[in-house]
Amino acid sequence: MNKLNFSSVSVEDIRPDIALIRMDCPGSSANVLNQTLFEDLDQAMANLMARDDLSGVILISSKPKIFVAGADLKQIVSNLDWPDKEIVKFCEKGRAVMARFSRCPFVSVAAIHGACVGGGLELALWCDYRIASDDRRTRLGLPEVGLGLVPGWAGTARLPRLAGIRNACDLITSGRLIDSESAEDMGFINEVVEKDALIESAVGMIQRTRTSEAFIHERRAIMEPVGDLEDLEDLDDLVLEFGKKIVANEAIFPFAPTVVLEHLVRTANQDIRAAWDSESLAMAQVWGSPASRGLLNHFFLVDRNKKFPGLVDQSLTPAKYSSVGIVGAGLMGSSIAKECSKFGMSVRLLDADQAKARIAVDNLASADVQVANDYGDLSEMDLILETVVETLPVKLKVLENIESSVPAETLIATNTSAIPIQKLAAGLKHPDRFCGIHFCHPELMALVEVACGPKTSEQTVANAVGWTRGIRKMPIAINDGPGFVVNRLLAAMIDESISQFVFGHSIESVDKSMREFGFQAGPFEIIDIIGVDTCMYAGRTIWESGLKCVSLVPVLPKLVKAGRLGRKSGEGFYRYDSFDGPPIVDSEVASILSEYQIPSNHDSNVSESDPLENQILAAIALEATRILEEEIVADFRDVDLAIIHGFTFPKHQGGILFWGDQFGWDHVQSLLYRMSDRDERFIPTKMIIELADRKTTFYANS
């Protein structure tokens, strides 16, 4: 039996005429198409192609959850400034290695189990056939547009010819992943079998197609233009159809999807070689774009959080929780209960208004969520989470009732958005088992801040982080402080947005500027979503703590007094015909708040020279550096992750500190000094001054 061993690949004959290539990148849970794996695959196939006794080769992974996870993104990030010719060469080199699987004198079969995405799927598409396991972990797709890139190793050329142009446009422009059965329906997976039958099925595929030489005919066919074009009346209609979908897809930035859609449609009538050349040029068009830089940074932020979720001792084993008691049946408490029930957790929902709790439970319609009649009904729960009104006396009383009703080992947490943990723990006998578990928006946002009070034990933090991960959220363990991270940054944005209104800019123009920057909703729309009164109370708590991100201009109290509380009341900074309806500009707001507005030329020194969004972003960046100087977080990257997943800072901008790096901290400093002429709160921090003086960045060495 012939055997070959390389660094990340091994080759062995499983039958006299069939070889098996196993991919297994050392020291990693994933196979990644880095230089080593490429070289090993190239050498392995070169050796096999030199033989004359083979009927076929099977490509498989030794990883339990991953076939190939895609390209080496670290290599891409380190070369974002490549000229076009180097980007084209990068694409051509990858295709040259993968092409061996379609040019060998024998049948090639990819036996896929686990994630097969991006470059991993492109590698599989170069094989003559693909067999995938029916395991739920087997997911396939070309998600490059989510990183501001396009497939570059013939994925955009081979997929349309295997799955049809419409399916290819759908998968590639959306970046979505699908299961193996869906891929089989589309036509680019040939068989779906049980995991343990992959190799046996691949052997059968080789024997059948080798004898019939069907693989030779199929190799010739794939070199031609896309075969299903006669079913389409007009390719222009395809561009219009998927162009609308791209614009409507808020999960992706439209630049890369638009580029790749144009390329897919334009090359559908061309042979595959022309499609390869066009694909390389499409990659060069998006490579190193501002959107791609931001999206790649976001990818690494999320990836890092999986290993380093902030200020938590990861040597500790978190307790396994299967039940949670929630005190407060409002929107937040009900939403958290819903998220917990998705993962089979037993939930007890308690509220001072039992009718309210019953309505919430009925609306959730889950057998796992039940009404608690009193605090005693929470005594058997593993974790108790308080979500009542954001008022210190009320929360203190509720927490006291909780502690007196549950065993000493029960973790008690608060969902407060602004009140320091130290203040809330003041009345507790066991502050070591108490922490903050702050959901920004349970159903829409993944981020959860696990806030550690000065007496919170390390085990309590580890338990809270573990529980949060158990319901598929993204925890960041942070130090205590009013507003924590997300609400301090949000307060800075809201406060400066209100200031821009005070200095004569319309509510709509402020919102428009931030939407154009990439936010899904403008600052005043966000206030209406959260609730004008909620923002007012949180802002007051932050202001009373002495933080500088809030000036307490009486705009919010004025609206609250007028009964305009946002979406929930039908009126806020905008008017709403229904809770889920679009915001409608309401001239009455300007009339109510007219006494607080100053003529627009009052602040012309700043506003004429600096776009609205830059002033708001500079205010947020200033607060971000204060958070770092106060050591609220373990690492600066936690701030950027928090702002993206805590209140929808646009992913393609990479985070507020990443934005500052791209904008230039010397420019941020100059802008802040100009803004400080109207308010000394904007004097730059020592951190910003040092960054500007040294002309360095946060991400220079990350």
Side-chain angles (χ1 to χ4, degrees):
M1 180 179 288
N2 294 314
K3 284 189 175 182
L4 293 170
N5 288 300
F6 303 94
S7 175
S8 56
V9 162
S10 63
V11 185
E12 63 177 311
D13 288 355
I14 57 171
R15 296 200 176 195
D17 64 335
I18 296 178
L20 181 73
I21 299 177
R22 287 189 179 275
M23 298 176 289
D24 192 3
C25 292
S28 172
S29 61
N31 291 320
V32 177
L33 285 164
N34 53 27
Q35 185 174 346
T36 300
L37 182 53
F38 265 124
E39 290 176 351
D40 289 351
L41 286 171
D42 196 33
Q43 189 60 47
M45 284 300 292
N47 278 273
L48 294 177
M49 290 171 73
R51 294 169 56 179
D52 59 6
D53 61 340
L54 289 178
S55 297
V57 62
I58 301 168
L59 181 65
I60 200 166
S61 167
S62 291
K63 304 298 185 185
K65 299 179 182 179
I66 292 175
F67 179 74
V68 177
D72 181 1
L73 296 180
K74 291 181 180 178
Q75 180 190 3
I76 291 175
V77 168
S78 64
N79 294 292
L80 287 176
D81 294 322
W82 265 350
D84 287 358
K85 65 179 182 179
E86 290 297 324
I87 300 166
V88 170
K89 189 184 298 183
F90 171 82
C91 295
E92 291 174 344
K93 282 184 176 180
R95 285 197 292 263
V97 173
M98 294 181 182
R100 286 188 179 274
F101 288 89
S102 70
R103 293 173 181 166
C104 52
F106 41 79
V107 183
S108 59
V109 180
I112 302 165
H113 170 69
C116 177
V117 298
L121 180 56
E122 290 182 288
L123 174 61
L125 292 174
W126 276 99
C127 293
D128 295 314
Y129 303 102
R130 288 148 298 282
I131 300 174
S133 77
D134 58 4
D135 193 285
R136 62 179 177 80
R137 291 172 291 189
T138 299
R139 306 287 290 174
L140 306 103
L142 296 170
E144 284 87 345
V145 295
L147 300 173
L149 300 170
V150 302
W153 292 320
T156 67
R158 296 185 72 87
L159 188 62
R161 288 157 177 81
L162 291 168
I165 186 66
R166 183 177 294 280
N167 286 332
C169 286
D170 174 19
L171 285 183
I172 296 173
T173 63
S174 69
R176 69 188 182 96
L177 305 183
I178 59 176
D179 59 29
S180 50
E181 285 82 3
S182 299
E184 184 182 30
D185 290 341
M186 287 187 179
F188 67 93
I189 290 296
N190 302 97
E191 288 183 14
V192 177
V193 300
E194 293 182 357
K195 175 189 173 185
D196 294 339
L198 277 173
I199 294 177
E200 179 185 350
S201 298
V203 168
M205 179 75 73
I206 290 170
Q207 292 172 334
R208 291 192 303 274
T209 56
R210 178 66 172 176
T211 301
S212 66
E213 293 193 342
F215 74 104
I216 298 294
H217 301 294
E218 290 170 10
R219 286 182 183 181
R220 291 172 182 160
I222 204 171
M223 301 300 290
E224 301 302 319
V226 175
D228 65 341
L229 293 180
E230 62 273 13
D231 298 330
L232 297 172
E233 293 183 2
D234 193 342
L235 285 173
D236 289 339
D237 290 341
L238 205 64
V239 174
L240 183 61
E241 175 188 346
F242 283 97
K244 289 180 178 178
K245 290 181 179 179
I246 289 168
V247 172
N249 188 351
E250 295 180 344
I252 57 173
F253 186 74
F255 178 51
T258 301
V259 169
V260 78
L261 175 62
E262 186 275 334
H263 151 74
L264 282 166
V265 172
R266 180 169 43 78
T267 59
N269 283 312
Q270 302 175 8
D271 67 42
I272 202 167
R273 292 182 180 85
W276 296 342
D277 293 339
S278 174
E279 181 186 75
S280 297
L281 296 177
M283 178 67 94
Q285 191 174 348
V286 300
W287 185 287
S289 68
S292 183
R293 290 172 189 267
L295 289 166
L296 284 164
N297 191 66
H298 168 257
F299 173 87
F300 285 112
L301 291 174
V302 173
D303 190 59
R304 177 184 176 278
N305 178 260
K306 296 172 184 176
K307 307 178 187 72
F308 305 107
L311 294 162
V312 57
D313 184 348
Q314 295 192 84
S315 68
L316 297 173
T317 301
K320 293 187 181 298
Y321 293 152
S322 60
S323 61
V324 57
I326 299 174
V327 182
L331 180 61
M332 180 62 73
S334 299
S335 296
I336 296 171
K338 182 178 180 180
E339 293 301 294
C340 293
S341 67
K342 288 180 182 178
F343 298 94
M345 284 198 166
S346 175
V347 182
R348 298 293 180 272
L349 193 58
L350 176 66
D351 196 277
D353 183 347
Q354 283 198 321
K356 183 178 180 181
R358 283 194 294 271
I359 291 171
V361 169
D362 289 344
N363 288 338
L364 291 172
S366 169
D368 293 321
V369 184
Q370 298 180 18
V371 174
N373 295 312
D374 52 37
Y375 286 97
D377 284 351
L378 306 178
S379 62
E380 296 182 359
M381 300 292 104
D382 298 322
L383 179 153
I384 312 297
L385 182 61
E386 168 273 306
T387 68
V388 301
V389 64
E390 193 75 357
T391 305
L392 181 59
V394 175
K395 285 185 178 290
L396 287 173
K397 182 61 177 176
V398 167
L399 291 169
E400 180 185 337
N401 289 336
I402 292 172
E403 186 179 45
S404 64
S405 304
V406 300
E409 64 271 14
T410 305
L411 191 156
I412 302 174
T414 174
N415 186 60
T416 182
S417 60
I419 303 173
I421 302 303
Q422 184 175 13
K423 285 188 176 182
L424 291 171
L428 297 178
K429 296 176 181 178
H430 303 286
D432 56 303
R433 59 168 169 159
F434 177 67
C435 68
I437 301 181
H438 173 229
F439 289 80
C440 300
H441 193 304
E443 296 181 63
L444 299 180
M445 299 177 191
L447 189 90
V448 175
E449 295 173 303
V450 176
C452 321
K455 295 184 180 180
T456 304
S457 73
E458 294 283 0
Q459 187 63 57
T460 294
V461 178
N463 291 346
V465 167
W467 175 76
T468 305
R469 281 180 161 169
I471 56 172
R472 302 295 187 271
K473 296 300 179 184
M474 187 183 294
I476 299 178
I478 59 175
N479 278 322
D480 193 15
F484 309 131
V485 175
V486 170
N487 279 310
R488 282 181 66 168
L489 300 175
L490 178 61
M493 181 176 76
I494 288 174
D495 190 79
E496 179 56 19
S497 298
I498 291 173
S499 292
Q500 293 298 329
F501 168 75
V502 167
F503 285 112
H505 295 285
S506 69
I507 291 165
E508 307 88 77
S509 65
V510 174
D511 278 352
K512 180 174 181 289
S513 69
M514 297 304 282
R515 284 197 304 271
E516 289 176 349
F517 177 75
F519 277 88
Q520 294 176 17
F524 293 107
E525 292 173 300
I526 291 173
I527 295 171
D528 278 355
I529 292 169
I530 296 171
V532 179
D533 53 338
T534 302
C535 290
M536 180 188 74
Y537 293 133
R540 181 173 295 165
T541 298
I542 292 172
W543 177 79
E544 288 173 349
S545 71
L547 296 181
K548 297 179 180 179
C549 56
V550 176
S551 61
L552 220 62
V553 175
V555 166
L556 297 183
K558 184 74 172 181
L559 285 186
V560 171
K561 187 176 181 179
R564 301 183 70 106
L565 307 182
R567 281 187 176 272
K568 60 188 175 185
S569 69
E571 293 178 322
F573 284 97
Y574 295 92
R575 181 168 51 80
Y576 303 90
D577 288 341
S578 66
F579 184 80
D580 296 323
I584 301 168
V585 176
D586 189 348
S587 59
E588 186 178 343
V589 178
S591 175
I592 294 172
L593 301 175
S594 60
E595 64 183 289
Y596 302 117
Q597 279 201 296
I598 300 170
S600 58
N601 62 0
H602 177 86
D603 196 41
S604 59
N605 179 49
V606 175
S607 60
E608 288 181 5
S609 59
D610 300 286
L612 267 174
E613 65 271 20
N614 286 351
Q615 296 177 62
I616 296 171
L617 293 165
I620 303 171
L622 175 62
E623 192 61 23
T625 60
R626 289 174 180 147
I627 289 169
L628 293 176
E629 289 183 343
E630 294 167 24
E631 299 182 348
I632 299 296
V633 295
D635 187 276
F636 71 88
R637 286 165 288 196
D638 291 338
V639 171
D640 277 350
L641 187 73
I643 197 171
I644 292 172
H645 288 278
F647 71 90
T648 68
F649 189 91
K651 293 178 183 178
H652 69 272
Q653 297 290 358
I656 189 62
L657 299 174
F658 187 84
W659 169 82
D661 282 0
Q662 306 304 304
F663 187 70
W665 290 103
D666 52 342
H667 294 141
V668 174
Q669 176 184 239
S670 297
L671 177 52
L672 287 171
Y673 274 129
R674 293 196 295 276
M675 292 168 67
S676 70
D677 287 341
R678 62 172 160 89
D679 193 329
E680 63 180 12
R681 293 183 301 118
F682 294 113
I683 293 174
T685 57
K686 180 180 179 182
M687 186 174 287
I688 290 177
I689 293 170
E690 289 180 351
L691 287 164
D693 288 349
R694 297 176 183 175
K695 296 192 180 301
T696 188
T697 63
F698 282 101
Y699 287 91
N701 300 310
S702 65

